[in-house]
Amino acid sequence: MRSYDIVIIGGGPAGLAAAAAAKKSGIDSILILERDKELGGILNQCIHNGFGLHTFKEELTGPEYARRFINEVEELKIEYYLNTMVIDISHEKVVTAMNRGEGLFEIQAKAVILAMGCRERARGALNIPGYRPAGIFSAGTAQRLVNMEGYMPGRKVVILGSGDIGLIMARRMTLEGAQVQVVAELMPYSGGLKRNIVQCLDDFGIPLKLSHTVVDIRGKYRVEGITIAEVDSHGKPVPGTEEDYDCDTLLLSCGLIPENELSRGMGVDIEPVTSGPSVNESLETNIDGVFACGNVLHVHDLVDYVSEEATTAGHNAAKYVQGSLAKGSGKEIKLVPTGGVRYTVPKTIDVDRMAEELTVRFRVGNVYKNCFISVYFDDEQVVHRKRPVMAPGEMEDVKFKKEKLASYPDLKTITIKIEEA
């Protein structure tokens, strides 16, 4: 059995940034395992711009952003296997994988970084009635077909769900000559970034219908039309509000799910809200030496934050292998999301182990206007930051300084909540 200091599962933006950070931290024995035929992950099909504004201070397309990290990995001479499927990771960090060249093989790792990304929620999870005709695609599949394979999924399109990929595909299909008739969204707010609603829908005159869903799909062999209806506060269709659209294609953009089958199999604790691993301030899971970053941890809105988080995971994995990741005092401060805050990443902080500054990321559960993000150290309010608007589609964060936390030696909980003005 071969052995490596660090094995990284996934060669997308998170895996690449983590590998580069670990190498720069002094670890030479690193292996990236990627199931696709090239590095770069989902970015290879995201040919629109808007990437890299935080990381590189310039606007790049997805493939350009990925190429910067791929070049860095190649210049650092980090080893990677493509077309390689990881089947299992044991609790003892033995990675079982397979590819065409070597068949089934095992690798013993001292540390593992989980960077598998996320997948789209499939039609089966949406309970849409009707036959299963041709012409129903997830938005990501349609994006790959148009941008990489050179195929048009259809000409008259309806999109269900207003996640970022759905919004971007509304614009993309329009630019390719398709007629996008409507974007329907079950929730009373959009799941995507505000800038994507403006640039992809408003600029092209595509209507967005909130609190609407698909109630019927017509057509037995190919989609011939769909019916959408308004829904009430419980998500149930309201009789009499049905609208019919003739179309040949339905794109589904109904959320992303972190790809955590491997994590569950090895015994990593999973957070019910994010469907990602529960991690501490070092992005380490409940299993020693197993770290998680990027969309496998929680679904991000910007890839720049994925790279930033993965860099932290790479540094900490390197420290773990070198034996310099502090053992910690055993006094963990628990982060408590409440009052509109759905979750926090990380879940706990050990002040002895944390960096000089720690970014805690979270999402809110509704649209809030003219409100405050408040942070309480036990019962003492320490942050009260005004925010004009917050929405579930945009990630929020608060930063903590090590010296400030160290000045509260008996601190047990940090509560993050939304407070009305």
Side-chain angles (χ1 to χ4, degrees):
M1 193 191 299
R2 283 164 294 179
S3 60
Y4 284 84
D5 286 346
I6 298 177
V7 174
I8 297 167
I9 318 298
L16 295 170
K23 180 83 174 190
K24 288 174 187 167
S25 300
I27 301 295
D28 287 325
S29 171
I30 301 170
L31 178 66
I32 302 171
L33 299 173
E34 169 56 52
R35 70 181 174 190
D36 210 346
K37 63 180 190 290
E38 56 201 340
L39 294 173
I42 200 70
L43 290 179
N44 291 322
Q45 68 185 51
C46 300
I47 62 172
H48 53 280
N49 60 4
F51 300 92
L53 289 167
H54 297 267
T55 310
F56 299 113
K57 304 292 182 272
E58 58 182 303
E59 205 168 25
L60 304 170
T61 64
E64 286 172 330
Y65 185 96
R67 176 46 59 187
R68 301 233 172 154
F69 280 99
I70 294 167
N71 288 346
E72 189 174 19
V73 160
E74 289 177 341
E75 281 161 19
L76 291 167
K77 295 189 169 49
I78 295 169
E79 210 179 326
Y80 58 86
Y81 289 174
L82 301 175
N83 297 309
T84 300
M85 193 75 182
V86 176
I87 297 165
D88 181 60
I89 312 170
S90 76
H91 200 279
E92 290 70 41
K93 300 188 278 289
V94 174
V95 180
T96 306
M98 67 183 298
N99 60 29
R100 223 179 235 176
E102 305 192 37
L104 195 68
F105 58 95
E106 290 186 331
I107 296 164
Q108 176 68 63
K110 289 181 185 169
V112 171
I113 299 177
L114 305 170
M116 292 88 73
C118 58
R119 66 171 187 269
E120 293 179 280
R121 189 172 271 113
R123 176 189 169 169
L126 302 175
N127 298 325
I128 299 172
Y131 288 106
R132 296 187 171 270
I136 302 174
F137 300 87
S138 70
T141 302
Q143 187 181 50
R144 186 175 179 98
L145 287 171
V146 175
N147 293 349
M148 294 182 77
E149 316 287 346
Y151 293 112
M152 267 299 271
R155 291 286 163 195
K156 291 183 81 174
V157 184
V158 170
I159 298 176
L160 173 62
S162 61
D164 287 312
I165 313 171
L167 299 175
I168 285 158
M169 281 313 292
R171 174 178 66 184
R172 188 79 187 97
M173 296 291 280
T174 304
L175 292 173
E176 287 293 336
Q179 181 193 351
V180 179
Q181 302 187 66
V182 68
V183 176
E185 168 58 60
L186 178 71
M187 305 303 282
Y189 49 79
S190 167
L193 294 169
K194 179 71 178 163
R195 72 178 192 204
N196 284 336
I197 297 168
V198 172
Q199 293 170 6
C200 302
L201 299 188
D202 298 355
D203 289 0
F204 292 89
I206 299 167
L208 170 63
K209 297 203 171 222
L210 300 174
S211 299
H212 279 71
T213 192
V214 171
V215 292
D216 189 32
I217 299 171
R218 295 191 302 284
K220 191 166 184 180
Y221 302 106
R222 172 87 200 191
V223 175
E224 292 167 9
I226 64 110
T227 304
I228 67 171
E230 197 174 334
V231 297
D232 59 22
S233 57
H234 302 292
K236 296 275 184 282
V238 178
T241 61
E242 294 87 356
E243 295 171 50
D244 290 332
Y245 291 88
D246 290 331
C247 63
D248 60 13
T249 306
L250 173 65
L251 299 188
L252 305 174
S253 177
C254 303
L256 300 165
I257 306 165
E259 191 78 81
N260 271 305
E261 280 65 29
L262 286 171
S263 319
R264 281 193 188 88
M266 71 185 299
V268 167
D269 287 345
I270 301 293
E271 274 301 303
V273 177
T274 61
S275 298
S278 182
V279 293
N280 63 18
E281 72 300 314
S282 306
L283 300 181
E284 189 177 19
T285 66
N286 58 302
I287 301 175
D288 270 2
V290 177
F291 299 80
C293 58
N295 282 353
V296 83
L297 181 54
H298 58 132
V299 176
H300 292 62
D301 48 359
L302 300 181
V303 73
D304 303 72
Y305 299 150
V306 168
S307 304
E308 193 182 303
E309 195 176 84
T311 300
T312 304
H315 283 313
N316 289 330
K319 280 184 176 172
Y320 174 85
V321 171
Q322 291 157 344
S324 59
L325 187 64
K327 285 293 177 216
S329 59
K331 285 200 301 186
E332 285 191 329
I333 303 165
K334 196 162 184 266
L335 284 152
V336 180
T338 185
V341 177
R342 294 190 65 227
Y343 69 86
T344 64
V345 171
K347 281 289 286 182
T348 59
I349 300 172
D350 188 320
V351 179
D352 289 355
R353 289 165 55 117
M354 74 179 272
E356 292 310 311
E357 186 176 81
L358 176 70
T359 302
V360 172
R361 294 203 161 91
F362 61 91
R363 283 186 193 264
V364 295
N366 214 326
V367 176
Y368 295 93
K369 292 183 176 172
N370 295 322
C371 54
F372 293 88
I373 294 174
S374 295
V375 178
Y376 290 84
F377 284 4
D378 288 334
D379 298 321
E380 181 191 339
Q381 189 182 69
V382 291
V383 174
H384 194 56
R385 189 171 83 214
K386 189 161 178 39
R387 294 286 280 117
V389 65
M390 286 189 286
E394 316 221 1
M395 220 153 58
E396 302 288 336
D397 64 52
V398 288
K399 290 181 166 49
F400 294 113
K401 293 245 183 304
K402 183 169 185 161
E403 59 182 338
K404 170 122 188 186
L405 287 176
S407 66
Y408 288 79
D410 299 320
L411 183 58
K412 291 200 169 40
T413 58
I414 296 174
T415 304
I416 302 176
K417 62 164 77 167
I418 309 303
E419 294 185 331
E420 304 292 334

